Amino acid sequence: MREILGRRRKFSLRRGARSPLLRAALTCATEWQWPVVPGVGLRSGGGRPRVCGCPDPECAVPGGHPFDPVLLAATTDERMVRWWWGNRPSAPLLLATGGHAPCAVSLPAVAGARALTVFDRAGVRLGPVVATPTRWSLLVEPYSLEDLGELLSQQDWVPSSLRFHGEGGYVVLPPSQTGSGRVRWERPPLRRSGRPWLPQVATVVNALVEASTSAPDGGSRLAY
């Protein structure tokens, strides 16, 4: 019996070693020192192929959130990363934002595409941009709540569709699959030594507010 279990475990680890998600998680954790944790993932059930693996049947972000392990378990430890994705090779890859890790600003996909056009025309250098069918996220340098609050206080108003992922938050990274669809790089990280380059949030926030405000799904006013 022990021998059978040992063979099963080795098979699981070999299968996980071929997982694109494991490779991506190891790159984030070991090369870039970004803390990661597996998302809850999806399960099939009731004829609905994209049901969240968590107990909530009405989950608003199916598959794309932490559950077990919790977000606080996010780590850069290679052994833990290999163990997680060795046992769950299809688990979504979550970046725990804030601290020494990147933060992010996310907005509706239509607004995100519009904002990137504005940045490109102005010659603004961007870092990695994560895209799903519904939302895009721009990774930026870590920021504090105080810094963010000061920036947003300079805006007349901020649409509620614009979201900020700082300390205690997370972003789903490619090549994850969630209930919203496939997660991909709209702008991939620069493949150079060390961590990928990131812009400061102050560089991008004005254009993102403007793009979110004028987008069809810009959302309601969120005053600061």
Side-chain angles (χ1 to χ4, degrees):
M1 184 66 175
R2 184 178 300 173
E3 184 178 353
I4 293 174
L5 291 175
R7 286 200 301 267
R8 287 179 177 175
R9 183 174 184 274
K10 288 180 180 178
F11 172 77
S12 175
L13 292 176
R14 285 197 301 269
R15 180 180 62 179
R18 296 196 299 269
S19 166
L21 282 157
L22 172 56
R23 292 196 296 269
L26 287 172
T27 296
C28 291
T30 64
E31 294 185 28
W32 301 341
Q33 292 297 294
W34 292 359
V36 298
V37 68
V40 65
L42 301 170
R43 59 181 172 83
S44 299
R48 298 163 59 194
R50 291 183 174 177
V51 178
C52 188
C54 76
D56 183 2
E58 303 298 329
C59 181
V61 285
H65 65 89
F67 179 66
D68 184 15
V70 297
L71 185 63
L72 288 176
T75 184
T76 59
D77 182 77
E78 179 179 353
R79 293 172 299 177
M80 194 74 249
V81 170
R82 287 188 180 276
W83 189 85
W84 278 335
W85 275 275
N87 287 280
R88 297 175 54 206
S90 63
L93 171 59
L94 306 187
L95 163 67
T97 55
H100 297 292
C103 291
V105 185
S106 68
L107 66 170
V110 172
R114 181 177 299 173
L116 260 62
T117 299
V118 172
F119 288 132
D120 290 343
R121 288 175 178 171
V124 176
R125 184 186 180 190
L126 296 177
V129 179
V130 179
T132 74
T134 57
R135 294 189 69 82
W136 288 14
S137 301
L138 283 73
L139 300 189
V140 297
E141 285 188 356
Y143 55 71
S144 67
L145 289 178
E146 291 77 11
D147 292 339
L148 179 63
E150 183 176 346
L151 285 172
L152 296 183
S153 67
Q154 300 171 18
Q155 304 291 330
D156 292 333
W157 63 285
V158 178
S160 59
S161 60
L162 192 63
R163 299 170 191 166
F164 300 89
H165 309 259
E167 186 77 32
Y170 65 91
V171 172
V172 185
L173 296 182
S176 302
Q177 181 79 26
T178 71
S180 298
R182 183 174 65 91
V183 184
R184 61 178 178 83
W185 292 113
E186 176 65 25
R187 298 286 173 88
L190 296 177
R191 299 287 181 173
R192 297 178 180 175
S193 58
R195 298 182 179 184
W197 182 86
L198 300 168
Q200 294 183 345
V201 66
T203 304
V204 302
V205 70
N206 288 341
L208 296 182
V209 168
E210 177 62 29
S212 298
T213 301
S214 57
D217 52 351
S220 59
R221 172 172 176 161
L222 180 62
Y224 284 84

